[in-house]
Amino acid sequence: MAERQRGGADPVEDRKPQSDEAHSAFTPPLGVPLPSAPEDEHPTSEFAIPEGIAAEPESEPEGSAFTLPAGTVGLSTTQSTPYPAFTPPYGTPKISLTKEAPWQDRMRTMLRMPVGERPVPERAEKPDEPGPPVPRVLDLTLRIGELLLAGGEGAEDVEAAMFGVAHAYGLGRCEPTVTFTLLSVSYQPSLIDDPITASRTVRRRGTDYNRLSAVFRLVHEITSRGLTLEEAYRGLAEIRRNRHPYPGWALTAASGLLAGAASMLVGGGVLVFVAAAAGAMLGDRLAWLASGRGLPEFYQFVAAAMPPAAMGVALSATHAHVQASAVITGGLFALIPGRALVAGVQDGLTGYYITAAARLLEVGYLIVGIVCGVLVVLYGGVHIGGGALNPEAALERQERPLIQIIAAMLLAFAFAVLLQQERHTVLAATFNGGVAWVIYAALADTAKLDPVPATAIAAGLVGLFGQLLSRYRYASALPYVTAAIGPLLPGSATYFALLNFAKNELTTGISSLTKAAALALAIAIGVNLGSEMARLFIKVPGAAASRRAAKRTRGF
């Protein structure tokens, strides 16, 4: 015992842990062998297949609605790079940028496709020559769009022209935008590059369909014949230098002829023709004077509306048996902004709601200017001349088919001259206007159809013929449509509304004004529907993707 106390410690005592800290939950107890260390090169996993069990064979991949079937060739962005798996079933039809269809159809087809599905430009650049500089291409695109928008072209056709020019010079990922007076175009070379954006504001707008047709021809040459950038700029400079096809005196005479023909269309005679022509020419000169002084367009319309109304009041006071209302009605035919109304409704129907709202608001301001000019004269005439101006007597309509057809064609001819159309398009527009009046008179007078649907049907035929003629000549449809709708404009309904307002007969006046608005909308919708009918029955490149649009259900 003493030795144990003096000597070393007991061996069993030595194996006993001195405290709780000496224990470990991960240390195996005595007598249990330690497991072998895992190999670093082949770590195990609870998802690994145990030894002795064969792995299941790989199953075939399931089919997908977005994958191409066997033997189908998909659309490719280049000669060897196919589109990814998100392309539509059976691929997207290839769009050929050749002369097989008008450039308007080809570019509309491209615009309505998502950016990732658009074919790359087919313009082949030489390896040793760099492509055209992007800023110059964007500048040319904006300048062409400015001329088209200033000439009264619809927003959809302006965007199609801008995209066609940019695409022809190799800018495939390009997005043009048109908003009434603002043009912008954005180009992004790839998903990782910064976009380049340029914009331009249209500050002056005028009616010159000669220049509009020249721009259409230039866009056709760029998109189909591959003009160089220098050639395109040279052509654009020549278009800007071109003078108007008709002198100022011819435009004034055309405004008088238009008013005189319109007065005969609603039942006037020779004296009424002369009075309406004189009032319209005087109003045209006053409008030119106001424009030269820098007055806004609203006051130009006020000045232009007063002389025809004054001529009608004076004629009514001196010759009671003369249909003086036809004089004022003829003057209103030359002032109603029919093309602006058609363009506004067309932009709304094609989805450009901001541009449509702005154009319709502009039409509203111009009509208010006409109302102010005519009402000032009518108010004085009604109170000075008493009951000389009688809207009930003015509503009497005489059926003179031959005279009215000739008057309608003269009206369309004068309208074409006022619009500064090319001389070879005047005859087609005149004939189209005569056809429009024949259809309207046959439906309204012979078949006793309501004037609103009769107007819509006649305007639809105008739009159809105009679209066909424009496709035949690869040109804009405006020169063939705008002048032809002249005989259908609601001049008489507008005049009767203003006359009833001057007589404080508000209920009758509102009824006539509502009828005038319904006729104007019928013209606009009919022209647009006729144009769409032409596109519906004519083969368009990429037919499966050409008319893509948002699908809505019950307003959602």
Side-chain angles (χ1 to χ4, degrees):
M1 200 61 180
E3 291 182 0
R4 291 177 63 185
Q5 293 177 353
R6 290 193 304 267
D10 191 359
V12 178
E13 296 280 345
D14 293 339
R15 291 195 298 269
K16 187 176 180 180
Q18 301 299 323
S19 63
D20 293 338
E21 285 78 1
H23 290 283
S24 174
F26 300 98
T27 302
L30 297 176
V32 178
L34 296 175
S36 59
E39 298 180 4
D40 295 337
E41 295 80 3
H42 305 283
T44 59
S45 171
E46 61 179 346
F47 299 103
I49 299 176
E51 297 181 2
I53 299 178
E56 296 182 1
E58 296 184 0
S59 59
E60 297 181 359
E62 296 182 359
S64 173
F66 299 97
T67 57
L68 300 178
T72 304
V73 180
L75 184 66
S76 60
T77 55
T78 62
Q79 297 294 333
S80 59
T81 305
Y83 272 117
F86 57 77
T87 52
Y90 303 100
T92 304
K94 186 176 181 179
I95 300 171
S96 178
L97 300 181
T98 61
K99 294 189 297 181
E100 63 184 22
W103 62 263
Q104 299 97 309
D105 288 339
R106 293 181 270 132
M107 294 307 115
R108 281 195 201 97
T109 301
M110 301 281 285
L111 278 175
R112 289 165 179 168
M113 297 177 64
V115 178
E117 297 181 12
R118 293 175 184 169
V120 296
E122 297 179 359
R123 186 182 182 93
E125 301 290 347
K126 297 181 179 179
D128 55 341
E129 295 182 4
V134 174
R136 293 198 68 192
V137 175
L138 296 183
D139 177 72
L140 176 66
T141 301
L142 290 173
R143 290 179 183 273
I144 289 177
E146 178 189 12
L147 289 179
L148 292 176
L149 189 62
E153 190 60 71
E156 186 180 29
D157 286 333
V158 175
E159 281 196 1
M162 294 173 64
F163 180 78
V165 173
H167 193 274
Y169 289 109
L171 306 187
R173 302 180 61 87
C174 180
E175 287 294 341
T177 304
V178 177
T179 309
F180 191 44
T181 58
L182 180 64
L183 299 168
S184 64
V185 58
S186 179
Y187 169 66
Q188 189 175 16
S190 65
L191 294 176
I192 61 175
D193 293 326
D194 294 332
I196 302 173
T197 303
S199 61
R200 196 175 185 89
T201 302
V202 180
R203 302 191 182 278
R204 293 189 61 185
R205 286 174 295 162
T207 304
D208 189 351
Y209 284 1
N210 181 35
R211 177 177 294 180
L212 189 69
S213 300
V215 175
F216 264 68
R217 286 194 297 270
L218 178 62
V219 175
H220 172 66
E221 293 177 355
I222 291 174
T223 57
S224 301
R225 300 180 183 176
L227 292 183
T228 64
L229 199 59
E230 296 300 329
E231 292 173 343
Y233 265 107
R234 193 179 304 116
L236 189 63
E238 292 177 358
I239 292 174
R240 288 184 175 274
R241 285 196 300 265
N242 284 343
R243 293 185 177 182
H244 298 306
Y246 309 104
W249 64 266
L251 300 180
T252 301
S255 65
L257 179 61
L258 191 154
S263 65
M264 295 184 66
L265 197 64
V266 294
V270 177
L271 181 60
V272 171
F273 179 93
V274 174
M281 288 189 289
L282 182 59
D284 180 76
R285 288 293 93 190
L286 286 179
W288 276 98
L289 180 62
S291 175
R293 295 293 180 178
L295 292 178
E297 199 171 12
F298 175 85
Y299 299 105
Q300 297 176 29
F301 272 77
V302 173
M306 295 180 69
M311 192 68 68
V313 171
L315 191 63
S316 176
T318 56
H319 300 78
H321 63 282
V322 176
Q323 193 176 5
S325 60
V327 178
I328 305 177
T329 300
L332 292 179
F333 265 86
L335 296 177
I336 296 176
R339 173 53 203 164
L341 176 65
V342 172
V345 175
Q346 182 176 358
D347 288 341
L349 294 176
T350 53
Y352 296 86
Y353 301 114
I354 297 178
T355 306
R359 281 185 166 173
L360 292 178
L361 183 62
E362 180 190 31
V363 171
Y365 272 106
L366 297 182
I367 291 179
V368 169
I370 298 172
V371 168
C372 291
V374 175
L375 273 182
V376 168
V377 178
L378 288 184
Y379 186 80
V382 167
H383 287 76
I384 294 174
L389 295 173
N390 186 4
E392 298 299 330
L395 286 172
E396 297 178 0
R397 182 176 176 181
Q398 303 175 5
E399 293 185 12
R400 302 178 297 175
L402 182 59
I403 295 178
Q404 288 178 334
I405 292 174
I406 295 176
M409 297 183 70
L410 287 177
L411 192 154
F413 172 80
F415 216 151
V417 174
L418 285 175
L419 294 173
Q420 302 279 2
Q421 292 187 194
E422 293 179 309
R423 296 182 180 180
H424 70 272
T425 64
V426 173
L427 183 60
T430 302
F431 177 77
N432 202 8
V435 172
W437 179 258
V438 169
I439 298 300
Y440 170 78
L443 294 175
D445 296 337
T446 305
K448 303 302 180 182
L449 189 65
D450 188 82
V452 174
T455 301
I457 294 173
L461 291 177
V462 168
L464 177 61
F465 293 156
Q467 194 65 229
L468 294 176
L469 289 172
S470 68
R471 288 169 179 275
Y472 175 72
R473 295 183 176 272
Y474 290 86
S476 173
L478 294 185
Y480 304 101
V481 171
T482 306
I485 64 174
L488 304 177
L489 292 176
S492 57
T494 305
Y495 163 70
F496 297 147
L498 300 182
L499 182 57
N500 284 296
F501 287 151
K503 286 177 168 288
N504 286 329
E505 298 176 1
L506 299 182
T507 303
T508 309
I510 292 175
S511 176
S512 299
L513 192 61
T514 304
K515 179 181 179 181
L519 291 173
L521 290 177
I523 293 173
I525 295 175
V527 169
N528 180 263
L529 184 60
S531 300
E532 295 297 326
M533 291 289 289
R535 296 172 187 168
L536 184 64
F537 292 109
I538 292 179
K539 182 180 179 181
V540 177
S546 60
R547 299 299 292 172
R548 290 189 178 185
K551 294 181 179 179
R552 297 184 179 181
T553 303
R554 294 188 296 277
F556 294 100

